[in-house]
Amino acid sequence: MLSNEDPCLRTAAEMGSSPPFPKEQQLCTYFDRETDTGASTGVEKEEPTIDNLPGWPCVSLSDHDSVEKLLYSELYASDLEAVAPRLWIMTTQSGANVEPLHRQRIKGREMLITESPRLHLVWIHDRIFLKPIPKYLLSHHFWDYFLRQDLVRRAATGYLRSYRYLIQHESDFDIAKQLRLVPQHVEWPEFCRFIENFGRVEDINVSPRYQYGELRLSRLNFYAPFLFGKFNFQKLHGQYSDHFARFYGPILFAFAVASTVLSSMQVGLAVEQVSATQGVVLWSVCRWTSTVILVGTTLIAVGFWLLWLWLFCDEWVYALRCRAKKRRRMPDHC
């Protein structure tokens, strides 16, 4: 009979109460310099002998309140978690909806480092924000000893699971090392063994935000007044000129359409004042030209509006279909 310690037999339920990877596959041994008397005897584990949290020299590991507060702010996106049941209206309801890093470059996206958990996997136009993996999340003992709060633990699990999709090939790993998304001491073979454990993590074991993958920032900002009760989810422009520049295109388009329509109407009215005896051919050309331009401009403007409306409705239909499939727990994914 196989042992229950075999990592291949770790079920989703077991992952919810224990670290999502076995100790022999951890990538950080910084927290192992301690006497682990509780592992086999069931006695309360002793305090770690190291002093500070890696990367946070001002946070003492002996101060549990400070460590828990830091982990909450570093791993738990409270605003997205609060509205997670409604995120299906703007993205596919699947945690696997994450493109690997090499595909991000193919799409021409600039991968920007963020330390905010709320911006991890959020993208806009040609940019996507990624939060690097902190060393302490690669330690089995750190999970076992410090990540006891269910909210933060599930968020940390979903956060690391996102790297299961971001890094699928060695080329993705090379990009991650260049961007310092993973610690520099980690090598590709050992990272593969570590991250493969998260391929068995199901949505029920992660926080609601990580039951979704990439999120489009423009949609988050659009729905921000309804979901978050504020004007935008994340402000991108620090100058008034940058803020108003995004309105120049639509305003100029509307102005051009209105100007063309008014000019055509003016020509049409002016043509009516030309006597037929003064130039029948000129009268006909001006009359029909102004009419064609007026009708054509109106059709183009209405066409653009209908196209936007069709795209908007199509996205809602797609979201509703995915939502219905998710509720029926169908095996296929949208």
Side-chain angles (χ1 to χ4, degrees):
M1 181 179 295
L2 294 174
S3 170
N4 289 335
E5 296 299 324
D6 188 342
C8 295
L9 297 180
R10 294 162 59 84
T11 63
E14 291 171 341
M15 290 179 183
S17 58
S18 61
F21 54 91
K23 187 173 183 178
E24 59 269 17
Q25 294 181 3
Q26 67 178 349
L27 300 180
C28 177
T29 59
Y30 186 71
F31 297 89
D32 292 348
R33 290 179 287 168
E34 60 178 85
T35 55
D36 193 1
T37 59
S40 58
T41 64
V43 182
E44 182 68 20
K45 296 181 179 179
E46 295 186 6
E47 293 285 349
T49 57
I50 53 178
D51 297 326
N52 303 316
L53 187 67
W56 296 89
C58 296
V59 179
S60 173
L61 290 176
S62 61
D63 187 351
H64 283 251
D65 291 337
S66 296
V67 173
E68 290 183 358
K69 184 177 180 180
L70 175 67
L71 292 177
Y72 183 87
S73 63
E74 285 293 303
L75 300 174
Y76 192 78
S78 56
D79 50 357
L80 286 178
E81 298 288 358
V83 302
R86 301 181 182 88
L87 289 179
W88 63 271
I89 66 178
M90 62 184 72
T91 187
T92 302
Q93 190 172 354
S94 172
N97 184 35
V98 180
E99 295 279 6
L101 296 179
H102 77 276
R103 287 285 302 172
Q104 303 289 349
R105 283 194 170 176
I106 290 175
K107 289 186 173 183
R109 291 179 182 171
E110 181 184 5
M111 289 167 278
L112 301 178
I113 300 299
T114 179
E115 294 296 345
S116 173
R118 65 195 295 271
L119 289 180
H120 181 61
L121 295 181
V122 174
W123 66 276
I124 183 170
H125 304 312
D126 58 349
R127 289 172 289 172
I128 185 169
F129 303 96
L130 301 172
K131 179 177 174 61
I133 301 177
K135 289 182 180 179
Y136 53 79
L137 285 185
L138 306 178
S139 167
H140 186 276
H141 176 76
F142 186 88
W143 279 77
D144 201 29
Y145 191 85
F146 290 101
L147 282 172
R148 296 179 177 179
Q149 186 179 356
D150 185 63
L151 290 178
V152 179
R153 189 184 188 92
R154 286 158 57 88
T157 303
Y159 164 63
L160 280 183
R161 188 181 69 163
S162 69
Y163 274 90
R164 169 66 176 78
Y165 305 113
L166 285 170
I167 303 178
Q168 300 184 22
H169 306 84
E170 189 170 3
S171 58
D172 300 321
F173 183 76
D174 292 337
I175 296 173
K177 290 290 286 287
Q178 295 170 9
L179 298 174
R180 305 185 73 86
L181 294 174
V182 297
Q184 293 299 303
H185 73 277
V186 177
E187 299 299 332
W188 171 239
E190 57 187 7
F191 182 82
C192 282
R193 291 189 291 270
F194 170 82
I195 206 66
E196 188 60 29
N197 294 285
F198 293 88
R200 296 184 290 273
V201 175
E202 301 177 357
D203 283 348
I204 193 175
N205 298 115
V206 302
S207 62
R209 183 267 174 265
Y210 286 105
Q211 295 176 16
Y212 303 84
E214 298 178 10
L215 299 175
R216 188 182 299 182
L217 182 54
S218 59
R219 293 183 181 177
L220 286 172
N221 285 337
F222 178 79
Y223 290 107
F226 312 102
L227 296 180
F228 306 104
K230 53 185 180 180
F231 288 113
N232 51 61
F233 174 77
Q234 177 65 38
K235 185 184 297 184
L236 293 177
H237 308 290
Q239 302 291 334
Y240 288 122
S241 57
D242 297 331
H243 176 75
F244 287 106
R246 59 178 179 170
F247 299 109
Y248 292 162
I251 291 175
L252 289 176
F253 176 77
F255 179 79
V257 170
S259 178
T260 303
V261 170
L262 291 175
S263 298
S264 300
M265 295 174 64
Q266 185 178 11
V267 171
L269 292 175
V271 167
E272 293 295 336
Q273 300 176 4
V274 178
S275 173
T277 58
Q278 293 177 336
V280 177
V281 177
L282 178 62
W283 181 87
S284 299
V285 171
C286 294
R287 176 69 175 179
W288 283 105
T289 300
S290 62
T291 303
V292 169
I293 292 176
L294 180 62
V295 174
T297 303
T298 303
L299 290 177
I300 291 174
V302 173
F304 274 114
W305 184 82
L306 290 177
L307 177 62
W308 176 87
L309 184 62
W310 179 81
L311 292 174
F312 182 80
C313 294
D314 183 66
E315 290 178 351
W316 266 93
V317 171
Y318 178 79
L320 290 171
R321 289 175 57 192
C322 289
R323 181 70 168 175
K325 288 183 178 181
K326 191 73 173 182
R327 287 182 172 179
R328 291 197 300 265
R329 298 183 178 180
M330 296 181 64
D332 57 319
H333 299 283
C334 294

